Amino acid sequence: MAPPAYSGAGPRSEVGVTATEAEKVHTLRQNTGSGTHRVVEMIPPQEASVRRREIEDKLKQEEETLSFIRDSLEKSDQLTKNMVSILSSFESRLMKLENSIIPVHKQTENLQRLQENVEKTLSCLDHVISYYHVASDTEKIIREGPTGRLEEYLGSMAKIQKAVEYFQDNSPDSPELNKVKLLFERGKESLESEFRSLMTRHSKVVSPVLILDLISGEEEVEVQEEVPLEHLPEGVLLDVIRISRWLVEYGRNQDFMNVYYQIRSSQLDRSIRGLKEHFRKSTSASGVPYSPAIPTKRKDTPTKKPIKRPGHEHDFRVKHLSEALSDKHGPLAGRDDMLDVETDAYIHCISAFVKLAQSEYQLLMEVIPEHHQKKTFDSLIQDALDGLMLEGDNIVSAARKAIVRHDFSAVLTVFPILRHLKQTKPEFDQVLQGTAASTKNKLPSLITSMETVGAKALEDFADNIKNDPDKEYNMPKDGTVHELTSNAILFLQQLLDFQETAGAMLASQETSSSATSYSSEFSKRLLSTYLCKVLGNLQLNLLSKSKVYEDPALSAIFLHNNYNYILKALEKSELIQLVAVTQKTAECCYREHIEQQIQTYQRSWLKVTDYIAEKNLPVFQPGAKLRDKERQMIKERFKGFNDGLEELCKIQKAWAIPDTEQRDKIRQAQKHIVKETYGAFLHRYGSVPFTKNPEKYIKYQVEQVGDMIDRLFDTSA
């Protein structure tokens, strides 16, 4: 029952007093300033009765509300008692249920455990029984071998391996253990045989053309994709890797590594030998082997062609500056070309070894376990490396023999090879990283040997230039450039292509501490000093040889030709810059020597011009009759001039000055002197009646004399 609603006339500010009444009382208080009692007393009786009724109504309502709340509490207590009773009953029932279910649950759990144990026991029995059937189940597969079904075969081997382990642990004396052991060993042998068969059947020699294409990748452009090498087909390689890993992990066998390096070593060696044979068979007349991916210009290829330009360090240039060596294109040309081919082949074989060895190591890392890779690789490369080192030693031995017989052109084959070995050494060292010390030291040992023999060749060449004998029959009859000069210049010009190499050779023989640094500047100064030494020895020898000529004029022409040849060769081949490193005045000295020889030659004409020189002529008065003595003197002067001119022109016409500029210069200078002297003499005595037969004495006019001198040094005239 809801409490009764309040029904008063308005809100109340005091108990039993309405708001309106309160306002009235407040007003009265303000107006009169008197207390409240006076105001109450002034309320009318009607209003007091109304208020009483209101209070009574309010009290009644409150009593009704209180009664309602009391009833509600009684009902709530009753409901609570009922709920407690229900819960107590539920708890009791749950306890009874629990007491009946727990034993059943425990019994069921025990039954499940027993069932699992039975199932596990049956499974173990099946597993154990399966080991007894492994031999019969896998024997056929093992007998037929892994070829064509490696996956299935390795699966069978895994079963056999587990059977062996089981019988070893649980029944070591059972006959089944021996059976599966024998089967396992037979399977392992089949895998080893399959490994050998795959490596033997599918390992192919790399073709020479492919090797040349591979090498060319580092010569043509800075960034170029390398030519891929497929040593084994992809599928075969995967099988080889799987067999290798199985043999290492389960076979406990390392013999396959020996099989691997023996087969791959043979292929590597055969590939390099094939490249060398390719050079011998397919070398064209230019000495450049054919390869579709390699341009005709090859680096480090020694040929007798002037193909190099300044700054192109990798070209080999041998330039003939004179026809004095034309005989070298005869019987010796074939030998030189053969040396070029052998040198070119060896240089390319060195590069091929580096590339192929790098490729072999990449393959080896996939097949051979990591802790065996370095040792296996060391064994793999030995045959090919030993072959290259032996060939290098043979080159050194041949160079030593060539030095003994003073065949220094043959020694030059060492220079491009040595330069290439030094350029390749960083890659060599990287490839051989991790190999035995004896393997790493092979290339440095060969480099040292080549430097030693090269330095020996340089020193012996300088000494040979100095001590070359003055053989009269070997001297050029026309006074042209001596073969010794052309050979010496040719040798020095070839050193231009190997400045660093030759400088390092010389530096390697120095005992001073500064030499050990092998600085570029130090090597350059050593090479410059060496060039000056050779040129100085050559000059001394030429002076000695010039004394073989009985005619001082021919001796002067000989020295002039040789000095001029040397100077022009130095200038054209840039040798002069290298010489100037230690000898600043070399060019001026040669020009002075050339001028001195020209002056010496000109003195040979004094015996002609002295006849008609004014100081030796008779003095007489114009128009006066000549005396017999004077007439005779004039005749002798004409005759002496004519005979001397004819003799010198006849002799000197057979002499040679190959340099056109120098030849014209000497002719013009001599023609000017002789024509001027003869012209003055002829002008003075040509019209004098010194003879009845003037044509007998006045045989030549001034221009004719000039024409005769113009035909000097010209054997075709």
Side-chain angles (χ1 to χ4, degrees), residues 27-41:
T27 303
L28 290 173
R29 285 176 178 173
Q30 288 179 340
N31 293 333
T32 62
S34 60
T36 307
H37 301 284
R38 187 178 297 178
V39 176
V40 172
E41 291 174 358

Side-chain angles (χ1 to χ4, degrees), residues 164-342:
V164 171
E165 293 173 354
Y166 171 79
F167 288 121
Q168 283 177 338
D169 294 339
N170 299 281
S171 184
D173 298 328
S174 65
E176 285 78 8
L177 176 59
N178 294 331
K179 186 181 295 185
V180 291
K181 270 189 173 181
L182 289 174
L183 197 59
F184 182 80
E185 290 299 322
R186 187 190 306 169
K188 185 171 70 172
E189 291 174 0
S190 296
L191 283 173
E192 293 172 358
S193 177
E194 179 69 7
F195 183 88
R196 179 187 293 273
S197 176
L198 289 174
M199 291 297 301
T200 303
R201 285 187 289 113
H202 297 282
S203 290
K204 304 297 182 184
V205 175
V206 183
S207 70
V209 172
L210 184 57
I211 295 175
L212 290 173
D213 294 345
L214 181 67
I215 297 173
S216 70
E218 63 186 18
E219 299 177 12
E220 296 175 20
V221 290
E222 294 180 359
V223 179
Q224 177 173 346
E225 184 178 353
E226 290 191 355
V227 182
L229 286 181
E230 185 182 67
H231 295 291
L232 294 172
E234 184 176 357
V236 173
L237 177 59
L238 293 176
D239 287 348
V240 167
I241 292 172
R242 293 200 64 187
I243 295 174
S244 166
R245 291 176 179 173
W246 189 93
L247 289 172
V248 171
E249 185 174 357
Y250 302 107
R252 306 292 190 271
N253 189 314
Q254 297 182 7
D255 292 342
F256 77 94
M257 300 180 195
N258 297 332
V259 172
Y260 177 87
Y261 91 70
Q262 289 169 2
I263 294 174
R264 293 309 309 167
S265 175
S266 175
Q267 299 303 323
L268 175 61
D269 190 46
R270 289 172 59 192
S271 297
I272 294 177
R273 290 179 184 273
L275 177 63
K276 189 184 303 181
E277 191 65 24
H278 173 76
F279 270 82
R280 292 173 179 171
K281 288 183 178 180
S282 62
T283 300
S284 63
S286 63
V288 179
Y290 168 75
S291 174
I294 297 182
T296 55
K297 179 184 176 183
R298 309 190 61 80
K299 80 171 186 178
D300 281 326
T301 304
T303 63
K304 295 293 188 289
K305 289 188 171 185
I307 59 175
K308 184 178 182 291
R309 294 293 180 270
H312 290 69
E313 185 64 15
H314 295 301
D315 294 330
F316 182 83
R317 173 197 56 180
V318 178
K319 186 177 182 182
H320 293 277
L321 297 178
S322 170
E323 296 179 358
L325 293 179
S326 59
D327 59 329
K328 286 297 181 75
H329 297 281
L332 295 180
R335 187 199 68 172
D336 291 341
D337 291 342
M338 182 58 66
L339 288 174
D340 294 344
V341 172
E342 294 295 331

Side-chain angles (χ1 to χ4, degrees), residues 448-514:
T448 300
S449 297
M450 287 193 171
E451 282 188 333
T452 302
V453 76
K456 172 68 173 173
L458 292 176
E459 292 302 321
D460 282 17
F461 177 78
D463 293 340
N464 186 67
I465 293 296
K466 181 178 180 180
N467 301 320
D468 185 69
D470 302 328
K471 297 178 180 178
E472 185 174 351
Y473 64 85
N474 197 34
M475 296 293 291
K477 303 299 182 182
D478 57 359
T480 190
V481 178
H482 196 278
E483 184 180 14
L484 177 68
T485 303
S486 56
N487 285 343
I489 294 299
L490 182 60
F491 185 87
L492 296 182
Q493 285 174 332
Q494 292 174 95
L495 292 184
L496 272 179
D497 300 290
F498 310 102
Q499 293 184 38
E500 293 185 6
T501 304
M505 286 178 176
L506 296 170
S508 68
Q509 305 305 306
E510 291 290 321
T511 57
S512 61
S513 58
S514 60

